[in-house]
Amino acid sequence: MQAQPDIAVPLDRARRFSVAPMIDWTDRHCRTLHRLLTRHALLFTEMITTGAVIHGGAERHLAFGAHEGLVALQLGGSDPRELAEAIRIAAPYGYAEINLNVGCPSDRVQSGKFGACLMAEPELVAACVRAMRDATDLPVTVKCRIGIDDQDTEESLDRFADAMVAAGVAALYVHARKAWLQGLSPKENRTIPPLDYPRVHRLARRLAPLPMVINGGIEALEQAEAHLEHMTGVMLGRAAYHTPMMLADVDARLFGDTHAVPDLAAVMAAMADYAETELAKGNKLNNIARHMLGLANGRPGARQFRQILSVDACRPKTGPEVFERALAAVEDRGLAEAS
């Protein structure tokens, strides 16, 4: 178990920019990297099912380091009693808020009756939120889509959001696309349904002052700044994951904090130190390195950088020195092109 994380800004301020929960990606190694780049952003766990928390070993799923700062725990589930039990188990770990996933469209999630399919049952989600609130003093939030399948996104989203407000939700995170539960894969659901940012902006105006964060298709901080004219906060997912160095500009541009930002060399050195500690605990280097592949994107030598991290980090007995080799590939190529 971990102590309460060191908090750079209050939670309501941190929601101004967050990195989305992404299954198989936003684990504690990924969050360690992201926290090196932004002191203030709110970070999320992967979606963790209530069954995994209750029956799958809480320490394995919930433990995180105080160096990760403000972290929100995202849960997947639809049974109010199980959600409340999972929250009670998670209480000692020091999360900043508890978020309920009502947006994931995968078949596996639907078969467990949680994720986006719950948008068809706002009363059940409201019961879940009330049970979660009864189990914790932490803010309980919901991440949803603007609708599913053939729902009218005007009427159905208002009905869903109003039910969340009545249940006492502390904030809503809204992915500005429908989820099509039949006929589209999870990957297709991230790109094919059209984005409808104005619909989310209208909902934010109607529900003000409820904190509302917009998500979906946002790929640059310029876009984030434009959305912040309408929204409490902005959430980025794959863009932040695949090009993590963009996070180095978040604190100055979105929080007004001009503290010194680590450059690529400093980030690689810090991650090497972190990896040394994790290897001593028996963890695998490639589980850390896989989150770092995009650090050099846009720089000369980025392809070799990715190759070294993705291939060499998987070799037996390889240590954090692989990070130095990857960095050297970028630095050497940059010097060569400058000469």
Side-chain angles (χ1 to χ4, degrees):
M1 297 183 186
Q2 306 294 338
Q4 178 68 31
D6 182 26
I7 298 172
V9 294
L11 175 61
D12 58 353
R13 178 71 171 161
R15 289 196 191 108
R16 185 169 173 82
F17 183 91
S18 53
V19 178
M22 292 174 279
I23 295 174
D24 295 329
W25 287 4
T26 50
D27 61 18
R28 61 190 181 87
H29 305 313
C30 175
R31 297 192 303 265
T32 294
L33 171 63
H34 289 175
R35 186 56 75 203
L36 287 171
L37 298 165
T38 169
R39 294 170 53 187
H40 299 317
L42 177 62
L43 305 181
F44 276 74
T45 67
E46 308 169 78
M47 183 189 69
I48 304 172
T49 66
T50 54
V53 174
I54 296 170
H55 306 295
E59 184 73 10
R60 178 164 65 92
H61 291 289
L62 297 175
F64 71 102
H67 65 274
E68 296 176 41
L70 284 176
V71 179
L73 169 62
Q74 188 183 69
L75 292 174
S78 61
D79 185 307
R81 290 172 298 180
E82 290 184 355
L83 283 161
E85 176 63 17
I87 287 174
R88 284 189 283 268
I89 293 170
Y93 289 87
Y95 287 99
E97 73 173 53
I98 310 295
N99 179 265
L100 179 62
N101 184 312
V102 191
C104 183
S106 77
D107 293 339
R108 180 168 60 89
V109 166
Q110 290 181 58
S111 67
K113 199 182 178 184
F114 55 92
C117 65
L118 288 174
M119 293 207 69
E121 301 186 63
E123 295 79 11
L124 174 58
V125 180
C128 290
V129 169
R130 286 191 290 270
M132 294 166 73
R133 291 184 64 226
D134 288 343
T136 182
D137 292 329
L138 296 176
V140 173
T141 63
V142 167
K143 187 173 187 295
C144 64
R145 294 278 185 132
I146 59 172
I148 56 172
D149 299 332
D150 293 319
Q151 284 184 336
D152 177 343
T153 58
E154 293 297 326
E155 184 278 330
S156 63
L157 181 59
D158 279 348
R159 182 164 58 92
F160 179 86
D162 288 346
M164 298 307 100
V165 172
V169 75
L172 281 176
Y173 299 78
V174 184
H175 186 133
R177 282 188 176 95
K178 271 189 174 184
W180 287 92
L181 303 181
Q182 303 296 327
L184 292 181
S185 70
K187 181 178 181 180
E188 291 170 331
N189 261 300
R190 292 194 294 268
T191 56
I192 292 178
L195 288 158
D196 191 350
Y197 295 136
R199 178 64 187 99
V200 183
H201 295 166
R202 291 196 300 276
L203 183 66
R205 286 196 299 272
R206 190 175 74 82
L207 295 183
L210 180 75
M212 288 198 56
V213 177
I214 194 167
N215 171 230
I218 304 168
E219 297 182 348
L221 295 188
E222 291 82 3
Q223 292 174 277
E225 289 169 328
H227 282 296
L228 286 171
E229 297 179 8
H230 308 277
M231 308 295 300
T232 306
V234 178
M235 173 181 275
L236 269 68
R238 280 158 178 78
Y241 185 86
H242 289 306
T243 314
M245 286 303 294
M246 72 183 298
L247 298 176
D249 294 327
V250 163
D251 290 356
R253 292 184 62 168
L254 303 184
F255 292 93
D257 183 349
T258 56
H259 66 86
V261 176
D263 59 13
L264 179 59
V267 171
M268 296 298 285
M271 289 304 292
D273 290 343
Y274 172 75
E276 192 78 53
T277 301
E278 290 297 308
L279 288 172
K281 298 176 183 176
N283 293 309
K284 295 181 179 180
L285 186 66
N286 63 301
N287 288 337
I288 300 169
R290 69 188 183 94
H291 301 299
M292 302 166 61
L293 301 182
L295 277 171
N297 281 356
R299 298 178 182 231
R303 183 177 180 180
Q304 188 176 2
F305 177 94
R306 291 191 298 270
Q307 184 177 25
I308 291 170
L309 288 183
S310 60
V311 176
D312 291 4
C314 295
R315 300 186 190 281
K317 298 182 180 179
T318 300
E321 69 278 357
V322 72
F323 296 171
E324 296 178 16
R325 295 205 302 275
L327 178 64
V330 175
E331 294 178 333
D332 292 347
R333 182 70 176 274
L335 288 172
E337 293 201 358
S339 61

